[in-house]
Amino acid sequence: EKGGYAHFMLKEIMEQPEAVRRTIQPRLADGEIVFEELEDERDLMKGISRIYLVACGSAYHVGMIGKYALERLLGIPVEACLASEFRYSAPLLGESALVIVISQSGETLDSMAALREAKRRGSKVLSIVNVMGSSIARESDHVLYTWAGPEIAVATTKAYTTQTVLLLMLGVYLARRLDRIGNGEYQEIVRELHGLHERIGMVLKNLELYQKTAARYFNHDSVFYIGRNQDYALGMEGSLKLKEISYIHSESYAAGELKHGTISLIEPGTLVVALAAYEPLVEKMRSNIVEVRSRGAEVVAMTTEETRDMIGSQASEVFVIPKIHTLLQPVLGVVPLQLFAYYIALNRGCDIDKPRNLAKSVTVE
Ligand code: M6R
């Protein structure tokens, strides 16, 4: 049932090219992004002045990526909210807010409760869900399914990448309808979506590097992830993956925030995973890497082919992802982080598919 892999997590990581292809392909036709699911409401954004992305855990980290992307694409305020906080805060709901709920299982109680609150207060709810016919899918006004297939490992991987790609596609689709994206950029993104699964395949080819790097660092007892903008969101996910399955204490920071406190924790030998793929801020990330290295940190970096030298020269190890439109980078960038966490947990002899104290879907508050 594990298809020859030692763990479901590894199997599901390796299934990502296919899962992403299955999620994208039915929504591309004649060089356009199409959402048949939204046919009955062609003006989804009519009267909408803000968007809330609501979810838990890794799905919330997808929401964080969505916040940066959708705000830029649509030019309206977009907020990523933890479902468990959402209904106890004072979100500005009502007809002019669109609520997007993201959930693999479609059964997470906190996300379900947020959905009900949003509907009760008159907002339209669209959900991004993996499990067909699940409670969240049933109660939403619109559902976009990720076609990741069943995910067994507690730590999510292929659900995360398919949710990310679907949310980004939705953003580009809406931007197109609202005439907020130029034809050239739109065509480029559509082209890159066609080949995205192959690029994920390329990232998966470097298993030995992730393995070797994990073997070098698995004994560390504290790790810091840093990044800016969408790379910060990615760091949140990388850090959760690591702590969830390896039980290593890890934290994620917006790189610019380090000097406001956390840098005091960096000492000789501290491991910092520096995410530096987001092109507009790569220079700034380089300075942050220099900053932590000068305090003795060991740095594992993630960057793109174009900035491999600039970032790689400052790091002990570097994971390189292929060139792709900035918007789609997180889909590639998360893969080395998943595998790094996986191999660290493997070295530490952890119960990878069923980490202690955790359930696949959390149906209690
Ligand atoms: O089924 P959901 O997507 O609603 O689950 C949300 C979180 O519980 C989930 O992403 C959790 O954080 C994962 N175990 C992370 O790997």
Side-chain angles (χ1 to χ4, degrees):
E1 49 176 11
K2 290 183 200 147
Y5 291 103
H7 296 95
F8 281 109
M9 183 177 175
L10 184 59
K11 173 174 179 272
E12 289 160 6
I13 289 173
M14 300 308 279
E15 281 171 353
Q16 289 179 111
E18 183 52 20
V20 163
R21 197 192 57 78
R22 272 204 311 265
T23 302
I24 293 176
Q25 208 211 356
R27 287 147 176 146
L28 289 181
D30 305 324
E32 298 280 344
I33 299 175
V34 286
F35 279 103
E36 276 177 15
E37 302 94 326
L38 302 176
E39 281 289 278
D40 60 336
E41 189 160 354
R42 299 189 63 82
D43 285 322
L44 184 71
M45 294 304 288
K46 194 155 176 237
I48 298 295
S49 61
R50 61 198 173 277
I51 297 179
Y52 290 106
L53 298 160
V54 183
C56 304
S58 292
Y60 165 69
H61 301 153
V62 172
M64 285 179 70
I65 291 175
K67 180 219 158 57
Y68 292 113
L70 268 56
E71 221 160 53
R72 180 168 72 76
L73 285 164
L74 304 176
I76 56 171
V78 179
E79 236 184 280
C81 306
L82 289 165
S84 56
E85 290 288 314
F86 186 72
R87 68 188 152 132
Y88 302 121
S89 58
L92 304 174
L93 291 167
E95 276 179 10
S96 54
L98 171 67
V99 173
I100 302 182
V101 178
I102 309 167
S103 174
Q104 187 285 129
S105 62
E107 301 297 344
T108 301
L109 190 99
D110 285 320
S111 306
M112 187 66 214
L115 180 159
R116 288 190 174 145
E117 174 72 0
K119 287 193 77 174
R120 196 181 63 78
R121 292 181 45 198
S123 296
K124 205 159 21 184
V125 177
L126 178 149
S127 62
I128 293 182
V129 174
N130 193 43
V131 177
M132 278 191 79
S134 55
S135 309
I136 290 175
R138 282 201 316 269
E139 292 198 25
S140 304
D141 298 305
H142 301 282
V143 192
L144 305 180
Y145 283 110
T146 47
W147 300 117
E151 194 180 61
I152 311 291
V154 164
T156 180
T157 53
K158 62 177 180 170
Y160 173 92
T161 36
T162 53
Q163 283 161 356
T164 303
V165 84
L166 197 47
L167 184 58
L168 295 174
M169 280 180 88
L170 177 69
V172 176
Y173 164 87
L174 294 174
R176 179 71 171 159
R177 296 189 62 88
L178 297 170
D179 222 0
R180 284 198 45 95
I181 184 170
N183 194 42
E185 188 181 8
Y186 176 74
Q187 295 302 333
E188 184 194 340
I189 293 171
V190 170
R191 236 189 350 266
E192 305 239 80
L193 282 166
H194 273 290
L196 187 57
H197 64 283
E198 282 164 13
R199 303 260 168 91
I200 300 177
M202 287 160 73
V203 181
L204 288 173
K205 285 217 175 85
N206 301 326
L207 284 191
E208 267 175 35
L209 172 64
Y210 314 134
Q211 231 165 336
K212 191 188 83 185
T213 312
R216 183 167 167 190
Y217 294 111
F218 77 92
N219 265 329
H220 281 245
D221 51 18
S222 179
V223 181
F224 293 87
Y225 286 72
I226 57 170
R228 288 170 178 263
N229 195 280
Q230 59 189 26
D231 285 337
Y232 164 45
L234 215 51
M236 294 289 292
E237 177 59 8
S239 169
L240 175 60
K241 227 60 326 162
L242 182 73
K243 63 191 117 185
E244 187 175 23
I245 61 170
S246 76
Y247 315 144
I248 296 178
H249 168 246
S250 112
E251 299 194 42
S252 168
Y253 282 91
E257 187 62 15
L258 266 197
K259 57 182 164 304
H260 297 286
T262 322
I263 202 154
S264 65
L265 290 168
I266 308 287
E267 50 182 12
T270 305
L271 178 58
V272 174
V273 178
L275 308 172
Y278 183 64
E279 203 272 328
L281 296 171
V282 166
E283 283 279 359
K284 290 218 160 33
M285 276 306 297
R286 185 178 181 276
S287 310
N288 293 128
I289 295 174
V290 171
E291 220 165 62
V292 295
R293 282 210 41 206
S294 72
R295 270 111 188 149
E298 299 250 1
V299 174
V300 172
M302 189 279 290
T303 190
T304 65
E305 274 162 10
E306 291 130 305
T307 45
R308 171 203 295 260
D309 294 340
M310 189 219 288
I311 295 298
S313 59
Q314 299 302 321
S316 320
E317 298 283 354
V318 60
F319 302 149
V320 178
I321 59 167
K323 182 174 159 30
I324 193 137
H325 190 286
T326 314
L327 192 76
L328 300 175
Q329 270 178 353
V331 184
L332 301 182
V334 75
V335 176
L337 307 184
Q338 297 168 341
L339 283 158
F340 182 58
Y342 172 80
Y343 285 118
I344 284 191
L346 193 66
N347 273 291
R348 291 167 71 96
C350 298
D351 189 354
I352 294 181
D353 284 337
K354 284 193 174 24
R356 69 187 178 208
N357 309 338
L358 284 169
K360 179 65 181 163
S361 92
V362 183
T363 51
V364 291
E365 188 171 2

